[in-house]
């Protein structure tokens, strides 16, 4: 694996993209390669609240979840030397996009709809995709979110059927080239 010395990499790296793009898997590997701490925003939120995301959605709705997500993001971006895997909808709020831009280097992990659906359709921990037509739902989510992901990103990396090692290698090479 290509390694980039931590002093040459941005202090914080924030991974954005849809559910199923590989933010957590790639984030863990990227953090290890850069000798940074890895943080998964959804896991941090679940730990802080003592409730899993589907339960938060059930009790508070999407609006309640998004409020908690924004509060958690405000805390997490204050840290230094992290690779942060954000939730797929974090870019919906302008204040979240601003926080990400101000506090780190933002990488959009883009992936084809068919791959995203294959990865998440049966995952009960993803409330937004629990519909009669997960692919149509994913297409609608991406129609709304893709421009926000692209507009927020310092770097866009295609996360397809390639291994996470290959994607991390590409990210490291592209960061080094900056």
């Amino acid at each position: 694996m290509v390694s980039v010395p931590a002093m040459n990499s941005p202090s914080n790296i924030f991974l954005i993209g849809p559910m199923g793009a590989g933010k957590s898997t790639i984030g863990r590997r990227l953090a290890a390669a850069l000798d940074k701490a890895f943080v998964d925003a959804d896991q941090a939120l679940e730990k802080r609240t003592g409730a899993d995301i589907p339960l938060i959605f059930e009790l508070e709705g999407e609006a309640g979840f998004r409020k908690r997500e924004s509060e958690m993001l405000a805390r997490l971006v204050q840290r230094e030397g992290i690779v942060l895997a954000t939730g797929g909808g974090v870019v919906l709020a302008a204040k979240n996009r601003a926080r990400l831009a101000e506090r780190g280097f933002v990488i959009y992990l883009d992936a084809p709809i068919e791959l995203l659906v294959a990865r998440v359709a049966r995952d009960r921990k993803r409330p937004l995709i629990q519909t009669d037509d997960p692919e149509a739902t994913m297409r609608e989510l991406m129609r709304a979110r893709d421009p926000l992901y692209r507009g927020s990103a310092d770097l866009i990396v295609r996360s397809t059927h390639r291994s996470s090692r290959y994607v991390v290698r590409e990210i490291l090479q592209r960061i080094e080239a900056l």
Side-chain angles (χ1 to χ4, degrees):
M1 176 182 286
V2 174
S3 182
V4 176
M7 65 185 179
N8 291 341
S9 68
S11 175
N12 291 325
I13 296 177
F14 304 136
L15 301 177
I16 62 172
M19 61 182 106
K23 298 180 300 285
S24 295
T25 301
I26 291 166
R28 277 187 198 88
R29 286 187 178 280
L30 185 60
L34 294 171
D35 196 28
K36 295 181 183 289
F38 172 72
V39 180
D40 182 299
D42 286 346
Q43 288 179 357
L45 179 60
E46 287 180 340
K47 184 175 180 183
R48 182 168 184 81
T49 63
D52 67 9
I53 290 169
L55 182 60
I56 296 169
F57 263 78
E58 181 181 329
L59 298 176
E60 300 179 8
E62 185 174 358
F65 171 76
R66 296 290 171 216
K67 181 175 185 276
R68 287 180 181 273
E69 179 180 56
S70 291
E71 291 166 355
M72 179 56 63
L73 182 69
R75 286 185 180 90
L76 294 174
V77 298
Q78 295 308 309
R79 295 180 60 183
E80 291 292 333
I82 66 169
V83 173
L84 175 68
T86 65
V90 75
V91 296
L92 295 173
K95 66 184 172 185
N96 291 345
R97 295 190 305 271
R99 285 180 179 130
L100 293 168
E102 290 167 6
R103 298 288 304 156
F105 187 80
V106 181
I107 301 172
Y108 170 23
L109 295 180
D110 183 26
I113 296 282
E114 299 76 20
L115 179 61
L116 299 172
V117 172
R119 287 180 177 170
V120 304
R122 291 191 256 292
D123 187 342
R124 297 288 174 220
K125 295 190 100 207
R126 300 180 190 269
L128 290 178
I129 202 76
Q130 301 309 310
T131 65
D132 291 336
D133 190 348
E135 184 173 340
T137 302
M138 184 65 78
R139 285 188 189 287
E140 185 57 36
L141 289 171
M142 287 303 294
R143 225 181 328 276
R145 295 177 181 182
D146 186 66
L148 300 173
Y149 294 139
R150 290 183 186 284
S152 301
D154 297 305
L155 179 66
I156 299 172
V157 176
R158 191 78 165 157
S159 168
T160 58
H161 292 285
R162 302 181 297 169
S163 75
S164 59
R165 282 191 177 130
Y166 185 88
V167 175
V168 168
R169 188 177 321 130
E170 179 184 341
I171 291 170
L172 293 171
Q173 289 169 344
R174 291 179 68 187
I175 289 173
E176 188 173 35
L178 295 175

